[in-house]
Amino acid sequence: MSGTQLLFYIFAAASCLGAVAVVVSQNVVRMAFWLMVSLGSVSGLFFLLHADFVAATQLLIYVGGTVVLLVFGVMLTASGKHVQIPTSPAEGFLAAGIGSLFLAMIVSTVASVNWGDYRAKLDPQYNAIVALLGDDETFQVSEEHPEGVELAKKDVPEEHQQYVWPIYESVNSDALTRAELKSAYQGYKQDNKGNTARPLGLALLGVRPDRDLGKETDDKLSTGYLLPFEIVSVHLLVVLIGAAYLARAKRRVDQVDET
Amino acid sequence: MMHALIAEASISHSLEQQLGLSSGVALLIATFIHAFLLINFFAVVPLFFIWLERKVSGRIQDRLGPTRVGGRFGWLQGLADGIKLIQKEDLVPKAADSMLFRMAPYIVCVASFGAFMFLPFSDGWVAVAADIGLFILLAILSLEVFGIILAGYASGSKWSLYGGMREAAQMVSYEIPVAICALVPIVAVGSLNLNEIGAFQSGWFFNWLIFHDPFCFLAFFVYFTVATASCKRAPFDLAEAESELVGGFHTEYSGMRWSFFFMAEYASMFLVSAVAAYLFLGGWHTGIGPLDDLFVSLRNSSAASGEFEVGSYLANLIGMSVIVVKGSLLVFVQIWIRWTFPRLRIDQVMMTCLKYLVPMSCALFLGAVIWPLLMARMTGNTTWKEPLGKKVSVARPEKAEESTEGREVRQ
């Protein structure tokens, strides 16, 4: 078992146990603590999967924001009966039923995806390398591409250039043998793991680097997510201002009454 | 680039190549080396700054400060404090929620220490090199408040609860201007990678981002103010206001647990100062053009050979001392501010943030975004200093051009 796998199991176990502890414990602040453990471990899982941006956002929004606000709310309202929340057995059964239904849905969805296909579809650079080298696992030496012959940068077929040229540039070379190209590709992958911020930003603007850049026609670009994102954030802002207004108005009325 | 939570680096690479260890073991050892170096830095920095705080406050109040322990300037005072604190009894009040009470100082410490993982100490000297290092750093640092709030709540004391609540309200508000102000120089550079941000500012000191445009210049002062507040330093230290709340969130703590809070506080003071040095004050560059060129040529002189790169090592060591000096100077300013200004009231603290600092930082951000467009229109010149790390390649050997971010702690 590799170190990454071990860490994966540790974080996965921590996030599951944290989630269980949230349900089992009855003190609101302890629940918040366990929620933090669970959400933080999920963020660790994202880091392990090289989704840096999502991981950092998870920490900032959920652990640093939501849970802090939750505890803040609890502290403002905390008095004897609200701190302990006992659950009745009926509630427990109901929650367990709904929870296991949800779990079944997720498990069946995960099981129905062909993950091997998924990678081939989503990683155009991998596809380009496979097209140039044959299968990158077996690395068969064929007659048209004998191992010792160099493949010049400018000889790369045009549809693969944008994916393969960065690899050439990463080792600062204009011609590589297939073996060199393979190791350069592996090094490039290793160096660029977790660089998700720029593709995410582009996708927000409507350019999916994994889908659109290879296309010759520009009529079928993916839709940008910027507008929906902005609409949601403005919506949240409206809700916040509304809540603040409602909370304020009440106090004003009281003051008028007193005077 | 980002090697997950394990800091895989050239240390692990060299262990693998030269000692013939398997990659897993090499990675593990490298991770321990990184963590060991950082945790020592993390422990020594507060020791020094606590001594500095006492000395500076003494001088400002026309006293001498510590003079007895360790020579004329009392520079072992921090260590003496530490020994005293270790010997103290570890008390947990009866009314406290003992699990959370014990846990809180660790959360504060771990959050502060975790953020150090992403802080480069020189060109490439970073435990975990990440493409979005600044973002991760700020995200991890924002967890510190959770420990403070838990400490306030779990103590089972009114003073602590008030301190914790104030801290929560204050931090939740001040995180917004910190993030927005950090974005202003980011707009100029076009990268969240602290290494690239540092490399962008090579040359004379007027290449530093603080002089990049008027908005960056103003953003530095706003950032420094909110960063001071986010470390809950006076005049924003409402969470532990002695005159009102006894000790605030740490009223019930004693011994080492108490000192953990202060280790984290002083460490994050240095952290936000070092981030300010990266974002505005030139990173590891001295600001004297020819001198920096000299260090770059020192770095490049040994880059060609695959051996132990003495020149590169020396250049990095110099870079590290520049960062430490810049950070320490900014910490000194924070201490100076603490002992000069009176403490604000809690409503004033909140008003300063929400009515002044947030709109100011929003306006600065807007200005910083419009500035390049405006300059391009006015001068008709669109080829000013190019963002997106293009300039990065100037300062390093050709070979490393693409893998800038992959470089990690060397030797």
Side-chain angles (χ1 to χ4, degrees), chain B residues 11-338:
Chain B
I11 289 186
S12 76
H13 191 69
S14 64
L15 284 174
E16 232 176 291
Q17 297 290 316
Q18 291 173 10
L19 299 181
L21 295 170
S22 77
S23 66
V25 177
L27 203 64
L28 197 68
I29 295 174
T31 312
F32 274 115
I33 292 174
H34 287 190
F36 177 78
L37 288 176
L38 273 180
I39 207 148
N40 276 298
F41 189 79
F42 179 79
V44 170
V45 156
L47 220 61
F48 172 69
F49 287 133
I50 287 170
W51 169 81
L52 190 70
E53 172 108 57
R54 292 171 150 228
K55 210 67 190 167
V56 171
S57 69
R59 289 292 175 174
I60 287 175
Q61 294 169 349
D62 207 10
R63 298 182 284 117
L64 285 174
T67 52
R68 306 222 166 194
V69 199
R72 211 177 134 204
F73 298 105
W75 52 270
L76 279 181
Q77 186 65 41
L79 201 63
D81 286 347
I83 292 169
K84 182 195 82 175
L85 285 167
I86 286 176
Q87 290 172 330
K88 275 193 166 182
E89 190 185 352
D90 185 25
L91 291 170
V92 179
K94 219 176 199 176
D97 183 332
S98 78
M99 184 196 83
L100 296 180
F101 184 84
R102 287 165 198 275
M103 198 65 84
Y106 299 133
I107 295 176
V108 174
C109 249
V110 166
S112 183
F113 174 66
F116 268 90
M117 286 280 181
F118 295 91
L119 182 77
F121 283 96
S122 180
D123 191 1
W125 269 12
V126 51
V128 184
D131 190 34
I132 49 165
L134 178 68
F135 183 44
I136 305 182
L137 195 152
L138 291 178
I140 295 183
L141 202 59
S142 77
L143 306 185
E144 201 183 327
V145 56
F146 193 74
I148 306 275
I149 296 174
L150 275 189
Y153 175 81
S155 294
S157 141
K158 278 177 197 161
W159 308 124
S160 303
L161 188 67
Y162 275 120
M165 269 169 61
R166 284 180 173 190
E167 170 75 3
Q170 187 179 327
M171 292 304 286
V172 169
S173 336
Y174 274 89
E175 261 170 29
I176 301 164
V178 166
I180 298 177
C181 282
L183 276 180
V184 173
I186 294 304
V187 170
V189 180
S191 169
L192 281 165
N193 187 334
L194 283 168
N195 224 8
E196 281 184 18
I197 296 169
F200 185 80
Q201 310 173 64
S202 58
W204 283 94
F205 62 87
F206 42 75
N207 281 349
W208 291 359
L209 280 167
I210 187 172
F211 301 119
H212 185 271
D213 57 61
F215 302 104
C216 276
F217 184 75
L218 293 175
F220 169 69
F221 298 99
V222 179
Y223 171 84
F224 195 66
T225 313
V226 287
T228 307
S230 73
C231 294
K232 53 188 185 309
R233 294 284 300 174
F236 306 101
D237 63 340
L238 272 297
E240 46 189 300
E242 302 91 345
S243 52
E244 307 151 34
L245 297 183
V246 189
F249 67 91
H250 59 70
T251 308
E252 305 294 338
Y253 281 88
S254 69
M256 278 313 276
R257 286 182 205 283
W258 181 84
S259 71
F260 278 154
F261 285 118
F262 285 89
M263 256 172 81
E265 179 178 326
Y266 284 88
S268 38
M269 273 165 74
F270 177 78
L271 196 73
V272 295
S273 302
V275 169
Y278 269 101
L279 289 181
F280 299 99
L281 300 178
W284 57 79
H285 297 291
T286 54
I288 304 164
L291 200 62
D292 279 331
D293 290 343
L294 196 72
F295 298 146
V296 171
S297 58
L298 185 67
R299 184 192 300 281
N300 291 348
S301 66
S302 63
S305 65
E307 310 271 309
F308 175 69
E309 297 169 358
V310 184
S312 162
Y313 184 79
L314 273 179
N316 275 335
L317 211 59
I318 294 164
M320 175 170 170
S321 39
V322 170
I323 275 292
V324 171
V325 166
K326 278 178 184 171
S328 306
L329 282 177
L330 288 177
V331 172
F332 170 75
V333 175
Q334 283 183 334
I335 295 173
W336 184 7
I337 288 173
R338 170 171 177 178

Side-chain angles (χ1 to χ4, degrees), chain A residues 45-96:
Chain A
L45 287 178
F46 281 133
F47 271 120
L48 281 177
L49 297 171
H50 303 293
D52 291 7
F53 188 80
V54 184
T57 312
Q58 167 95 6
L59 278 183
L60 191 73
I61 306 279
Y62 286 104
V63 188
T66 310
V67 179
V68 166
L69 276 180
L70 201 144
V71 179
F72 185 53
V74 170
M75 280 158 87
L76 281 176
T77 54
S79 61
K81 63 178 177 181
H82 294 300
V83 173
Q84 298 287 335
I85 306 176
T87 45
S88 67
E91 283 171 325
F93 278 119
L94 196 64

